Every structure is written in C-alpha cells, then in structure tokens.
Amino acid sequence: MRLTRRQALAGISSLGLVPPALAQSSEQTRSPIAISVRPIKAFEPRSPEKARFGQLNFRGGLVLTASHPRFGGFSGLWRSPDGAELVSITDNGFWLTAKPRSHDGRIVALDGAELAPILGASGKPLHRSRYYDTESLTIADGVAYIGVERTHDVLRFDWAKDGVAARARIVPVPREVKRLPSNRGLEAIGVAPAGHPLAGALVAIAERSGGETESTLGIILGGRQPGLFQLARHDGFDITDLAFLPGGDMLVLERWYRPLRGVGMRIRRIAGAGIKPGAMLDGAYLIEADLGQEIDNMEGLSVHLEQGKTILTLISDDNFSFLQRTILLEFELV
C-alpha cells in the first residue's frame, strides 16, 4: 500500500527521525544498576538432588531484583559466544547489559549491569514512540536485531560500532508479518549460523498467528532462500524465543500461561535442514516444566559454548508485577 505524505512523515517521526535537538540527552544516558541475586540451587525444589530434566542438565539459576524502576519485563536475551557478555531487552524499550559471573560451574552474579534506552534513528528513545513494544533480540556478526510487537517490525542496530548507543533502522518484512494479530508478533528471532543452508539469514517466528490450535507464522529474511514457513503449536503453548545451536538445529522456547492456573515452559528442537520456505516445522521437546519447577513467564533464550559444552540461558518476563519474578536459568545440553 502506498503511503500518503502525512502517513510517511508520521512513521518517520515515530521511529525517532526528528531533529536531534528534540531528543532529550538525559534519556540517552546509561544507568548503572545494582542487581541483587538469590541463588536457585535446585530446579525442582521437591527433588533437590535431581539435575537431569529431559535432555538438559540444570546448572543453576538466580532470582534477580533491582530497585531501578525500569528493571524487569525482560523479553529477549543474548549471550556472547563465550558467555562472557549478556544483553537483554525489556518489553518497554530498554537494553540491559551485564557480565555473568560463575563459581564452580554455577552462575552467581551479574556484574557491571547497566540499563539504557533503545534509540530510534535520531536518538529519540523507542519507549517514547510507537515502537516501544520490543520483544525479541539476537546479535550476530556485530549487528543486533530486535522484533517489535504491535507494529510488527524488525529493527537493526550497529552493535559492534555503537553498542547501546546504536540507532534503529527498519528491516523490510513481508506483508504477511504486518498482518499479524495485535500483541501476537515476532516474539522469537535469530540468525542462522555458518554452515547452515540459510547461513546469515534472519529467522523470526510469531508468538501466535492463528487460533488456539493452529500453527504460527515464521519468516526467513535475507540469505539464499527468503520466504515464509509454519511452526506447529501444541497444547496452547505460545512461542517466546528461539536460538540456533552451532550445528544448525533451532531451539524454540514456548510458554503457556493462564491467570490463576499457572505457567508452563517447553523447549523444542527443530532440525536445521528442514527450515526453508513453505515448510511445516515440528520437533521433539528437550524439556518441559511447570510450577513444580523454578520457572516463571520464560521469554528469553540464548545458546553459547563453554569449554566444549552447549549452555542454554533463559530469562523470564515479570511483566513488572510483584506477583512474578525475574529468573535467570542455565542448563547444559546433554
């Protein structure tokens, strides 16, 4: 659809393409924060000696708290290939950066934590624009990509050059993405690794593009085979994140939540060779958990290697509610 001049100007303004003088410098500053942690020593409190859950071994976890009013709502997660750097985004437009610290193979703290606003093209914070609902994150080859719900956009940031000071640029998406239901947008995003048939392509999946029992839409942007695919959904679980294993298989994090009934979590492994335009994807579950285990509203997933071991890190979105928790978990893929 061709935009009118007024519509085009409105869209440019909302992304932050306004004179820099209008951007408030105070909103562009980083805010160091002190994160308090409470260790999670047992993933299943009723069986404290149990470490194996499905195809994963529990390594440890933390309940995170901080007094900063912007702390919480973490919906996307990335860790550097060696695990030394952690980046997360809140679902209201802020970066969290930190350095995980471990002892005896268990994560014990997040050092040097900072919050900073995610910036539009002119430096205007996204939380002051219609692009405020930032839900998914990946970083590859020095570039960060964020999926924005409600507007159904993908934003690109020059992370290697500017870090949290990087400014958003829109990545064009197929019209099918723009037609996704409100608040059911691109919750999962990742970049296919080297050696994969889609190497370098951006892969994203909608939380839920159809009915309760229907599959959901996935997209492949760039690379040699751009296009659309479908991912099967089961038992009312919604898609909340994805991450690629070094060998090319894709892990998909899923969440089930009903008020007054509880929350559930699953991680599914999808064969990398099957990810291509027109595919209907499905795969076996590596782990399933509910309120019998230490989970909350799990929305972020990352994969890194540590001394030859494949480590999965997960983070929860507390929805800025005192009834929920921000949880960081680590597992090793068996």
Side-chain angles (χ1 to χ4, degrees):
M1 179 182 70
R2 183 178 297 275
L3 298 179
T4 66
R5 183 173 183 272
R6 175 174 293 183
Q7 289 171 324
L9 289 174
I12 290 172
S13 175
S14 65
L15 181 59
L17 294 171
V18 296
L22 297 181
Q24 298 181 19
S25 60
S26 62
E27 293 181 314
Q28 301 180 30
T29 59
R30 302 179 182 181
S31 299
I33 59 170
I35 298 180
S36 299
V37 302
R38 178 174 66 79
I40 298 174
K41 297 181 179 180
F43 184 56
E44 188 172 274
R46 64 176 177 265
S47 304
E49 73 290 345
K50 184 178 179 180
R52 175 76 175 261
F53 297 89
Q55 298 301 308
L56 303 179
N57 282 336
F58 179 63
R59 284 173 36 114
L62 303 171
V63 179
L64 309 177
T65 56
S67 60
H68 195 286
R70 295 289 187 177
F71 183 85
F74 297 109
S75 298
L77 181 68
W78 174 85
R79 287 184 73 172
S80 57
D82 62 359
E85 304 287 337
L86 180 148
V87 181
S88 186
I89 57 171
T90 71
D91 57 15
N92 62 356
F94 280 76
W95 302 101
L96 170 72
T97 59
K99 297 180 182 298
R101 174 159 46 96
S102 297
H103 180 71
D104 290 338
R106 285 181 174 267
I107 189 167
V108 296
L110 293 181
D111 296 331
E114 293 184 335
L115 282 170
I118 303 172
L119 303 179
S122 74
K124 177 182 177 181
L126 291 187
H127 71 84
R128 292 183 174 272
S129 75
R130 68 189 185 97
Y131 296 87
Y132 68 91
D133 195 3
T134 45
E135 289 285 349
S136 51
L137 167 70
T138 190
I139 303 176
D141 299 323
V143 177
Y145 297 94
I146 287 178
V148 181
E149 226 174 16
R150 301 178 197 274
T151 66
H152 306 311
D153 284 296
V154 174
L155 305 180
R156 182 186 191 276
F157 300 81
D158 192 342
W159 184 260
K161 179 176 180 290
D162 297 315
V164 297
R167 299 182 180 188
R169 286 186 285 170
I170 285 185
V171 177
V173 297
R175 60 180 181 274
E176 288 85 356
V177 173
K178 305 298 285 186
R179 295 171 180 168
L180 287 169
S182 177
N183 204 29
R184 297 290 186 186
L186 299 177
E187 283 267 354
I189 197 167
V191 173
H196 192 284
L198 302 175
L202 193 67
V203 179
I205 303 173
E207 177 181 3
R208 184 200 302 181
S209 62
E212 182 74 16
T213 61
E214 295 178 334
S215 60
T216 192
L217 179 71
I219 62 170
I220 303 166
L221 298 176
R224 295 189 295 269
Q225 301 180 64
L228 307 176
F229 62 87
Q230 293 285 321
L231 176 68
R233 292 175 52 254
H234 304 287
D235 309 316
F237 276 73
D238 293 327
I239 311 304
T240 59
D241 208 354
L242 70 84
F244 280 94
L245 295 173
D249 285 357
M250 181 173 69
L251 302 184
V252 176
L253 176 64
E254 305 178 2
R255 175 270 325 275
W256 177 92
Y257 172 75
R258 296 292 185 276
L260 305 180
R261 292 180 58 189
V263 64
M265 178 199 82
R266 290 173 171 173
I267 300 176
R268 198 176 355 167
R269 183 169 185 164
I270 309 297
I275 306 171
K276 55 189 175 183
M280 170 61 79
L281 302 179
D282 205 345
Y285 288 100
L286 299 182
I287 186 173
E288 300 187 42
D290 56 26
L291 286 180
Q293 289 81 36
E294 291 278 9
I295 66 168
D296 207 285
N297 178 33
M298 309 310 296
E299 290 208 7
L301 170 67
S302 180
V303 171
H304 74 277
L305 296 179
E306 190 173 298
Q307 298 178 343
K309 300 175 181 178
T310 301
I311 307 301
L312 281 61
T313 309
L314 294 87
I315 197 167
S316 67
D317 175 1
D318 68 352
N319 292 305
F320 299 99
S321 168
F322 71 93
L323 297 175
Q324 295 178 259
R325 302 177 295 169
T326 297
I327 295 177
L328 191 72
L329 303 172
E330 279 191 345
F331 294 90
E332 178 189 342
L333 179 63
V334 178

